[in-house]
Amino acid sequence: MQNKQIPRYQQLKDLIIEQIYDGALKPLQRVPSENQLVKSMGVSRMTANRALKELNEEGYLNRRAGVGSFVSDFRVNSHLFEIKNIADEVAFRGNKHNSRIIKQSLIDVPRKISRIMNIDSNEQIFHILLVHYEDSIPIQIEDRYINRFFAPNFLEQDFLSITPSSYLSGISPLHQAEQIVSAIIPKNLISNLLEIEKESPCLLITRKTWVKKEMITYGKFYHPGDRYELVGHYEPVKSNKFQKNNKKFM
Amino acid sequence: MQNKQIPRYQQLKDLIIEQIYDGALKPLQRVPSENQLVKSMGVSRMTANRALKELNEEGYLNRRAGVGSFVSDFRVNSHLFEIKNIADEVAFRGNKHNSRIIKQSLIDVPRKISRIMNIDSNEQIFHILLVHYEDSIPIQIEDRYINRFFAPNFLEQDFLSITPSSYLSGISPLHQAEQIVSAIIPKNLISNLLEIEKESPCLLITRKTWVKKEMITYGKFYHPGDRYELVGHYEPVKSNKFQKNNKKFM
DNA sequence: TCTAATTTGTACGTATGTATG
DNA sequence: ACATACATACGTACAAATTAG
């Protein structure tokens, strides 16, 4: 612990976050206990406690009294938990999720994608187009481009058994994400795949995700307007009950 | 400080939150300093610090070193800051917001609203229907019901100069909110007011808000699909810079 | 401009309680 | 019963920011 301007607890946090992002600390792996940090880092127990406590609140770690502190399993639910995995959502409603792969290929970067993702246009990129079903009813079309260096084994994945979102967030937790929601009348290809009338409205979610300041995926997610709703529930954190409940999602 | 099961810092927090909700502590008002709490509550400074620190992080208070701790001004931006005020959004984009009031009245509770809001159907309720414009282009229709006991002076408000959202959250901060986003083709009344083609898609946001476990408002917000987007940007809290920046919104 | 007082921010040391294995 | 680890709590100290005089 050296730097003077940055508080020690923050330096500790940054150190651990860095190791998580670098892969030195992997999901579910144990991180040093408070007392170990006291010895190895030369800080007080309260300082170590604050660092680990805040990392827990921010979703990087899970802590259990009497057990220890562990890196969160971002595959289940990342700290960016607003970004939902469609399969989990369906399962949560007690229904059966499955999917149909329309395309899964390595292609030349389309002009538009090249601009959006800032990738050279004579590079190549993974593209996937698939339909998600809830109890055999189409509920989402996923039309997504994936940086090929981020997920080199993308083509070999079986996306019938694991969703692309789940696979991708297993490689590395997201650092940033952006979602834009709009209402549209989709093109014929989309309405056919969703098995809806030609002029029916759809929710279109355009999502960008980043890892280390680099855009990793860009995708469009189409939902039938009458079969899907984005639900948001907000309440202030009033008691530590909330934090404890939250752990169920980790 | 008495109770045994609940931690003292939590009891302190609950006490202050209660006073904010009861109106004993009003927005912008000063709350006791850490040292005052040490004396009056018989807790240690660290415990008082933890309570006030967490209330700050949760948005109830604003704290400044050398100055003190103050109740947040929920009128500007509540801790449920995901619930945006349309006028602020428009202003943020550098455009001019204005609105047109179609209805502003006290009516018998419609059957459907009675069920949703759990209000006796021979009671009365406020109803407002207005169109929000961004640079004179319709951007949102607000169709909202408001519990008349919560906002007794609702009819006397001039909603051309202050939005209903802003007025309502000035009465009391929200305790809970729910938003459901869907894509629809609106009825003629709505498409006329939004000045869009008959079969154009719209984003429909259905919003419920609660204060003290009681539903205070229920409303539908219609946006032209091609003129409005819900944008969400997510990134993990990596440093305390984030918290400091957040204060700008208070 | 300087000083003192107040308030928050950070940090250390210590102690006790609770949960877990 | 015991050791380990986190949770809470008290006491103390100094630094940084701000305000009042």
Side-chain angles (χ1 to χ4, degrees):
Chain A
M1 298 283 93
Q2 352 147 8
N3 221 311
K4 294 174 183 186
Q5 293 299 37
I6 304 171
R8 300 188 125 176
Y9 75 89
Q10 187 62 48
Q11 293 179 46
L12 251 181
K13 286 174 65 178
D14 290 341
L15 202 75
I16 294 170
I17 289 173
E18 212 174 301
Q19 292 183 341
I20 292 175
Y21 283 163
D22 287 354
L25 284 171
K26 293 204 162 28
L28 302 186
Q29 195 177 322
R30 171 180 227 109
V31 303
S33 75
E34 295 180 2
N35 280 321
Q36 286 171 330
L37 289 175
V38 169
K39 285 173 193 158
S40 65
M41 294 289 132
V43 297
S44 78
R45 166 104 200 281
M46 283 306 294
T47 304
N49 175 277
R50 178 165 182 181
L52 295 181
K53 178 168 156 285
E54 293 189 0
L55 286 173
N56 177 45
E57 287 161 0
E58 291 163 17
Y60 288 98
L61 303 181
N62 292 318
R63 316 188 75 201
R64 282 204 302 153
V67 188
S69 304
F70 304 86
V71 178
S72 288
D73 185 359
F74 298 101
R75 275 166 298 203
V76 177
N77 212 310
S78 88
H79 47 254
L80 295 169
F81 67 95
E82 296 89 344
I83 307 290
K84 303 228 176 77
N85 181 350
I86 187 84
D88 294 341
E89 258 186 86
V90 171
F92 181 76
R93 288 193 285 267
N95 295 331
K96 191 174 163 295
H97 168 267
N98 60 328
S99 47
R100 178 181 150 211
I101 299 167
I102 311 292
K103 276 188 195 157
Q104 181 176 2
S105 53
L106 182 65
I107 59 170
D108 293 335
V109 180
R111 189 70 61 167
K112 188 183 158 199
I113 303 303
S114 141
R115 275 195 303 273
I116 294 173
M117 296 184 72
N118 195 27
I119 293 178
D120 197 295
S121 61
N122 43 28
E123 253 292 358
Q124 292 195 300
I125 195 167
F126 294 124
H127 177 230
I128 192 161
L129 179 64
L130 55 77
V131 187
H132 294 275
Y133 298 86
E134 175 162 358
D135 287 346
S136 303
I137 298 169
I139 190 189
Q140 182 189 75
I141 289 177
E142 176 169 0
D143 177 11
R144 186 183 240 181
Y145 297 88
I146 301 97
N147 185 310
R148 76 184 181 98
F149 299 106
F150 177 72
N153 304 316
F154 188 80
L155 289 185
E156 288 92 68
Q157 299 311 308
D158 174 19
F159 289 125
L160 295 180
S161 55
I162 181 177
T163 65
S165 296
S166 180
Y167 168 67
L168 291 167
S169 64
I171 297 177
S172 163
L174 300 179
H175 292 195
Q176 250 185 93
E178 187 184 87
Q179 277 195 159
I180 298 179
V181 181
S182 58
I184 60 152
I185 302 290
K187 301 227 164 93
N188 284 350
L189 170 65
I190 301 297
S191 50
N192 288 341
L193 288 174
L194 285 177
E195 300 169 21
I196 57 176
E197 301 289 326
K198 289 243 172 306
E199 298 298 313
S200 308
C202 279
L203 270 188
L204 168 60
I205 301 175
T206 305
R207 185 186 299 167
K208 300 172 180 173
T209 64
W210 288 263
V211 172
K212 291 188 206 277
K213 305 286 175 198
E214 194 175 8
M215 203 187 298
I216 291 307
T217 76
Y218 170 79
K220 290 179 185 259
F221 301 81
Y222 300 86
H223 300 267
D226 60 345
R227 281 186 224 141
Y228 189 81
E229 290 169 331
L230 270 177
V231 179
H233 195 92
Y234 312 107
E235 55 183 321
V237 194
K238 284 178 74 170
S239 72
N240 48 13
K241 279 179 196 167
F242 179 81
Q243 294 169 26
K244 280 175 186 164
N245 286 338
N246 243 2
K247 286 181 184 167
K248 288 191 297 192
F249 296 105
M250 293 296 172
Chain B
M1 300 282 91
Q2 351 149 11
N3 221 311
K4 295 175 183 184
Q5 294 299 36
I6 304 171
R8 299 188 131 180
Y9 75 90
Q10 187 62 47
Q11 293 179 45
L12 250 181
K13 284 174 66 178
D14 290 341
L15 201 76
I16 294 169
I17 288 173
E18 212 173 300
Q19 292 183 341
I20 292 175
Y21 283 162
D22 288 351
L25 284 171
K26 292 202 165 29
L28 302 187
Q29 196 176 322
R30 168 179 230 109
V31 304
S33 75
E34 295 180 2
N35 280 321
Q36 286 171 330
L37 289 174
V38 168
K39 285 174 193 159
S40 64
M41 295 290 133
V43 297
S44 77
R45 163 115 195 272
M46 283 307 294
T47 303
N49 175 278
R50 177 164 182 181
L52 295 181
K53 178 168 155 287
E54 292 189 0
L55 287 173
N56 177 45
E57 287 163 358
E58 292 162 17
Y60 288 97
L61 303 181
N62 292 318
R63 315 188 75 202
R64 281 205 302 154
V67 187
S69 304
F70 304 86
V71 178
S72 288
D73 185 358
F74 298 102
R75 277 166 295 203
V76 177
N77 212 312
S78 90
H79 47 253
L80 294 170
F81 68 95
E82 296 89 344
I83 307 291
K84 303 233 176 73
N85 182 348
I86 187 83
D88 294 341
E89 258 186 84
V90 171
F92 181 75
R93 288 194 285 268
N95 295 332
K96 194 174 161 295
H97 168 268
N98 59 329
S99 47
R100 178 180 149 210
I101 299 167
I102 311 293
K103 276 188 193 158
Q104 180 177 2
S105 53
L106 182 65
I107 60 170
D108 293 337
V109 180
R111 189 70 61 166
K112 188 183 158 200
I113 301 304
S114 143
R115 275 195 303 273
I116 295 173
M117 296 184 70
N118 194 27
I119 294 179
D120 197 296
S121 62
N122 43 27
E123 253 292 356
Q124 292 194 298
I125 195 168
F126 293 123
H127 176 232
I128 192 162
L129 178 65
L130 55 77
V131 188
H132 293 275
Y133 297 86
E134 175 162 359
D135 286 348
S136 304
I137 297 169
I139 190 188
Q140 182 189 75
I141 289 177
E142 175 169 0
D143 178 11
R144 185 182 241 181
Y145 296 88
I146 301 98
N147 184 309
R148 77 185 181 98
F149 299 106
F150 177 71
N153 303 315
F154 188 80
L155 289 186
E156 288 91 68
Q157 298 311 308
D158 174 21
F159 289 126
L160 295 180
S161 56
I162 181 176
T163 66
S165 296
S166 180
Y167 168 67
L168 291 166
S169 64
I171 298 178
S172 163
L174 300 179
H175 293 198
Q176 249 186 99
E178 187 185 88
Q179 277 195 161
I180 298 179
V181 182
S182 59
I184 60 152
I185 302 289
K187 301 226 162 95
N188 283 351
L189 169 65
I190 301 298
S191 50
N192 287 341
L193 287 174
L194 286 177
E195 299 169 21
I196 57 175
E197 302 288 326
K198 288 243 172 306
E199 298 298 313
S200 308
C202 278
L203 270 187
L204 168 60
I205 301 174
T206 305
R207 184 185 300 169
K208 299 172 180 174
T209 63
W210 288 263
V211 171
K212 290 186 208 276
K213 305 284 175 200
E214 194 175 7
M215 203 186 299
I216 292 307
T217 76
Y218 170 79
K220 289 178 184 258
F221 300 80
Y222 300 87
H223 299 266
D226 60 345
R227 281 184 224 143
Y228 189 80
E229 290 170 331
L230 269 177
V231 179
H233 194 92
Y234 312 107
E235 55 184 320
V237 194
K238 286 178 73 170
S239 72
N240 49 13
K241 280 178 195 168
F242 180 80
Q243 294 171 26
K244 281 176 185 164
N245 285 338
N246 244 1
K247 287 182 184 169
K248 288 190 297 191
F249 297 106
M250 292 296 170

